Amino acid sequence: NERMLNEQLKLHDKMQKEFINIASHEMKTPTQAILGMSGLLQYYPEKKDELIEIIRRNAKRLQALTSDILDVTRIESQTLQLEKERFNIYDLLADVTKDYTERIKSDNKNIELLYEQQNINRPILVEADKGRINQVLSNLLNNALKFTDEGHIVVDAYEDNNKKDIIVSIIDTGSGINKDIFTKLFSKFATKSSQGTGLGLFISKSIIEAHGGKIWAKNNKDRGSTFMFTLPITNWDSVRDDSNQK
């Protein structure tokens, strides 16, 4: 048992070192770009717009990376706070899909993003941290986009059989999940990509589980992969009770 514990510690240590390498490498690239481009600004004023756009893009990359590292620290120290509110999950999915449709257009990728909403007339209410659920959806869509060159990405949401949970799925026609990484997909340092730290899925799992939900993934039969998560549905009775109290 002690030997096993020792092995686990060694592995964790190795992963930690690997992560620090990846994170510092990830930070180096945008930092160099920002420094380089801001240096060029004074010599090439006519290229100002182009250079500023590169600086902005790289600053956003740095910002995303630092906020991921902060989130991991919060998760590890169990200080991840949720600001819960009651909202219709369908509205959030529609907004996020709209944002990403615009993004795909500007990236000129040959991908169609589809949102298939069930029971359009009936809202599904969840008690959740909207910003954090948005973050999970963004992580899953960014992943789908990163590994999909053409075809489509489908966002879908439906109630499970017992009507207690909503299941949100994101299906892509990408390269699928690498078999070496499948078992540790949602662990902290899992990445097979040439870019990225692989923190997005670890953070997403922690967020969904903090809400009392589950998250998992599978490879599709033909091509691509499907990522799914559940969130508990806030039942209508408790909504009525609230309105009576006001």
Side-chain angles (χ1 to χ4, degrees):
N1 205 15
E2 203 174 313
R3 210 175 105 245
M4 251 174 70
L5 199 65
N6 218 357
E7 288 298 313
Q8 278 175 337
L9 282 171
K10 264 189 200 158
L11 182 68
H12 187 267
D13 201 43
K14 180 173 173 274
M15 284 164 84
Q16 197 92 29
K17 282 193 179 108
E18 220 166 89
F19 168 67
I20 291 166
N21 283 338
I22 292 170
S24 47
H25 175 72
E26 281 288 307
M27 281 179 158
K28 207 178 279 177
T29 317
T31 308
Q32 280 169 342
I34 292 166
L35 288 170
M37 297 304 138
S38 52
L40 288 176
L41 266 176
Q42 56 187 331
Y43 299 110
Y44 300 98
E46 75 284 1
K47 285 191 161 35
K48 190 183 79 177
D49 292 349
E50 199 182 317
L51 293 170
I52 286 173
E53 182 46 43
I54 297 170
I55 291 170
R56 211 180 60 85
R57 199 171 60 234
N58 282 285
K60 280 181 86 168
R61 264 183 75 183
L62 267 185
Q63 187 186 33
L65 186 60
T66 43
S67 83
D68 274 358
I69 290 171
L70 250 176
D71 276 347
V72 170
T73 314
R74 285 191 190 110
I75 291 160
E76 299 238 290
S77 60
Q78 293 174 342
T79 55
L80 183 79
Q81 298 287 326
L82 296 178
E83 305 284 333
K84 286 188 174 182
E85 59 181 293
R86 191 171 281 168
F87 63 91
N88 178 7
I89 188 77
Y90 290 148
D91 290 346
L92 179 64
L93 290 171
D95 289 346
V96 173
T97 312
K98 205 166 132 199
D99 284 352
Y100 273 83
T101 305
E102 294 304 312
R103 197 177 301 188
I104 289 167
K105 263 187 214 153
S106 67
D107 284 353
N108 290 325
K109 268 193 159 190
N110 188 20
I111 299 170
E112 194 180 4
L113 181 59
L114 307 163
Y115 170 39
E116 300 195 350
Q117 186 177 332
Q118 318 285 336
N119 296 329
I120 201 154
N121 310 320
R122 193 162 89 72
I124 293 288
L125 294 182
V126 293
E127 186 94 32
D129 185 322
K130 203 184 233 178
R132 291 292 183 184
I133 299 304
N134 193 344
Q135 186 182 352
V136 171
L137 289 165
S138 297
N139 278 336
L140 296 179
L141 282 166
N142 285 339
N143 243 13
L145 282 169
K146 198 194 297 184
F147 296 106
T148 308
D149 291 324
E150 56 175 8
H152 53 259
I153 295 169
V154 182
V155 178
D156 195 2
Y158 49 91
E159 290 171 277
D160 73 348
N161 297 333
N162 63 19
K163 303 258 186 280
K164 279 195 169 62
D165 294 304
I166 180 102
I167 300 173
V168 177
S169 67
I170 290 171
I171 306 154
D172 65 56
T173 54
S175 54
I177 304 156
N178 185 296
K179 64 180 192 311
D180 301 339
I181 207 173
F182 204 93
T183 51
K184 53 177 194 278
L185 196 59
F186 293 96
S187 66
K188 194 175 6 174
F189 313 112
T191 181
K192 256 288 180 205
S193 156
S194 53
Q195 53 182 81
T197 52
L199 289 177
L201 291 178
F202 169 73
I203 294 167
S204 299
K205 180 177 194 276
S206 304
I207 290 170
I208 294 299
E209 287 178 355
H211 281 87
K214 289 196 292 284
I215 188 165
W216 69 98
K218 60 176 191 176
N219 275 323
N220 303 332
K221 278 197 177 73
D222 39 4
R223 67 181 181 143
S225 58
T226 300
F227 280 79
M228 283 168 282
F229 67 84
T230 66
L231 284 174
I233 295 171
T234 300
N235 61 30
W236 279 98
D237 303 336
S238 66
V239 178
R240 291 201 196 94
D241 291 349
D242 279 2
S243 56
N244 293 340
Q245 284 164 19
K246 282 180 183 154

